[in-house]
Amino acid sequence: MKDLIVLTGPTAVGKTSLSIALAKEVGGEIISADSMQVYKYMDIGTAKITEEEKCGIPHFLIDEFEPDEEFNVTIFKNKVMNYIKEIRGRGNVPIIAGGTGFYIQAVIYDINFNEYGDDSEVRKKYEKIAETLGKTELHRMLAKVDKEYAGSVSENNVKKVVRALSFFEMTGEKLSEHNKRERERPSPFDFAYFVLTMDRKKLYERIDKRVDLMFDMGLIDEVKSLMEKGYDKTLVSMQGIGYKEVIDYLNGETGLDECIDIIKRDTRHFAKRQLTWFKREKAVNYIDKDEFITEEECLKEMLRVCNY
């Protein structure tokens, strides 16, 4: 039996319900690997699991941070390592479920992100460039020094672009090459790594429907409430897909239809980048929902791989 199970895949593929079914079968507790669901008050736009959907299964790293608190891969890794220890101490199985592949990689290969320290002055320099010349120019700068990494990150994710440029300046090494090397590290876990997939066209249709549902559920009011609490577009949390676009709509910069179309487009692009990331990972077990048609079939295959 595996001592750690990972269930990931692109956004809207159906990870949440399958993770609950898996946890019920193996005596699991779930650690979220979603870089947005960690924030309080951001429920609709992150498709956050509800208390009812949890079915009594303990969940961690959901609603643990205020939207203006710092949350990054190092914080994630440290917290997850502690949660894994606690869950095992209760005799249960830790299950990491979510779509942030970079965060998952940090845990399962015990990657050390403090190896080169953190030069805040270098980081601030690139943040200033983003402010003055724009995120497109910043992303173009990254493409010149690390084309592979630039291809895996959206220009909208200024934080990651800044980190990659800072890393290159401080070390002279491409972050893409560093990540490749880190992926070759032996894991401290006997883990099973599952990637849930489905036909791309079907996935994109699910994404479009999910975005429509978010607006029906009150995404605009959720963003208004966040802005009334003083959270604005300068925060990393509010740069998440769905939030920054609604802010632009509320500020009169876009119309509602355009806002919805942009969110759908950017979410599809995000799903595509997620799939590209997972393809680079080793020791991955793909669970294709077009092959294992029902959730029961998906679950049965996962239990077989995990020797349960």
Side-chain angles (χ1 to χ4, degrees):
M1 296 188 292
K2 303 296 182 180
D3 60 11
L4 176 66
I5 302 174
V6 175
L7 174 57
T8 188
T11 186
V13 76
K15 299 182 292 292
T16 299
S17 62
L18 186 56
S19 69
I20 296 296
L22 177 64
K24 288 179 178 178
E25 286 291 330
V26 303
E29 299 184 32
I30 296 172
I31 304 169
S32 171
D34 187 298
S35 60
M36 290 296 295
Q37 293 191 8
V38 70
Y39 295 113
K40 298 175 182 177
Y41 324 122
M42 306 179 77
D43 303 332
I44 298 171
T46 66
K48 189 178 292 177
I49 188 170
T50 65
E51 287 302 317
E52 185 180 2
E53 288 171 331
K54 288 178 184 177
C55 296
I57 302 295
H59 280 68
F60 305 92
L61 282 179
I62 291 177
D63 284 337
E64 292 192 18
F65 287 75
E66 300 290 331
D68 57 357
E69 285 186 282
E70 182 177 8
F71 184 69
N72 55 42
V73 66
T74 303
I75 294 170
F76 172 83
K77 180 195 168 188
N78 292 338
K79 280 192 164 288
V80 170
M81 289 299 196
N82 287 330
Y83 284 138
I84 288 174
K85 185 177 180 181
E86 291 175 12
I87 293 167
R88 284 176 171 171
R90 289 189 285 271
N92 293 331
V93 179
I95 299 171
I96 298 177
T100 310
F102 182 48
Y103 283 15
I104 293 169
Q105 183 191 84
V107 172
I108 61 177
Y109 297 117
D110 194 19
I111 296 174
N112 178 15
F113 292 99
N114 298 317
E115 185 178 353
Y116 298 101
D118 178 23
D119 191 327
S120 59
E121 292 305 312
V122 175
R123 189 181 70 249
K124 287 176 182 176
K125 178 182 75 173
Y126 288 113
E127 288 172 347
K128 188 67 175 178
I129 291 173
E131 291 174 12
T132 55
L133 300 181
K135 59 189 179 184
T136 300
E137 178 58 29
L138 189 76
H139 193 268
R140 193 175 292 124
M141 290 173 64
L142 176 59
K144 287 181 180 178
V145 298
D146 192 345
K147 186 176 180 180
E148 183 177 342
Y149 190 82
S152 70
V153 62
S154 166
E155 67 176 35
N156 292 320
N157 198 330
V158 174
K159 185 179 178 181
K160 279 191 176 181
V161 176
V162 166
R163 179 178 180 273
L165 283 165
S166 301
F167 185 87
F168 182 78
E169 180 167 330
M170 288 188 289
T171 68
E173 181 183 19
K174 297 177 181 179
L175 188 57
S176 60
E177 293 178 352
H178 170 77
N179 288 344
K180 281 181 185 176
R181 187 175 67 252
E182 292 294 336
R183 279 196 292 271
E184 297 304 315
R185 290 165 64 103
S187 175
F189 303 106
D190 179 19
F191 66 88
Y193 192 139
F194 297 100
V195 176
L196 195 59
T197 65
M198 68 190 313
D199 174 76
R200 189 75 61 91
K201 183 180 178 183
K202 292 179 184 176
L203 178 64
Y204 287 173
E205 289 173 353
R206 285 172 66 100
I207 287 171
D208 288 350
K209 288 179 181 177
R210 174 185 274 188
V211 172
D212 288 334
L213 180 61
M214 285 176 176
F215 278 88
D216 291 342
M217 291 175 65
L219 178 59
I220 293 173
D221 287 337
E222 178 170 278
V223 177
K224 281 182 182 177
S225 176
L226 286 161
M227 294 172 72
E228 288 168 0
K229 287 182 172 72
Y231 304 123
D232 59 34
K233 202 176 171 183
T234 63
L235 298 174
V236 171
S237 61
M238 297 294 275
Q239 281 291 312
I241 298 174
Y243 290 92
K244 62 181 182 297
E245 295 83 2
V246 172
I247 291 174
D248 288 343
Y249 162 68
L250 291 172
N251 289 337
E253 296 175 30
T254 60
L256 181 57
D257 289 344
E258 182 183 4
C259 169
I260 294 171
D261 287 344
I262 291 171
I263 294 172
K264 289 179 178 179
R265 180 200 68 195
D266 288 355
T267 306
R268 291 193 297 266
H269 290 172
F270 174 57
K272 186 176 180 181
R273 289 194 303 274
Q274 286 177 300
L275 289 165
T276 299
W277 176 277
F278 300 134
K279 285 177 182 176
R280 292 199 302 259
E281 291 288 54
K282 60 182 180 180
V284 164
N285 299 278
Y286 283 95
I287 304 294
D288 189 336
K289 293 182 77 173
D290 297 310
E291 178 183 354
F292 303 101
I293 298 172
T294 66
E295 185 172 278
E296 289 75 17
E297 290 174 333
C298 292
L299 180 60
K300 185 177 179 181
E301 174 63 11
M302 293 173 72
L303 293 173
R304 184 192 68 78
V305 173
C306 293
N307 296 320
Y308 278 92

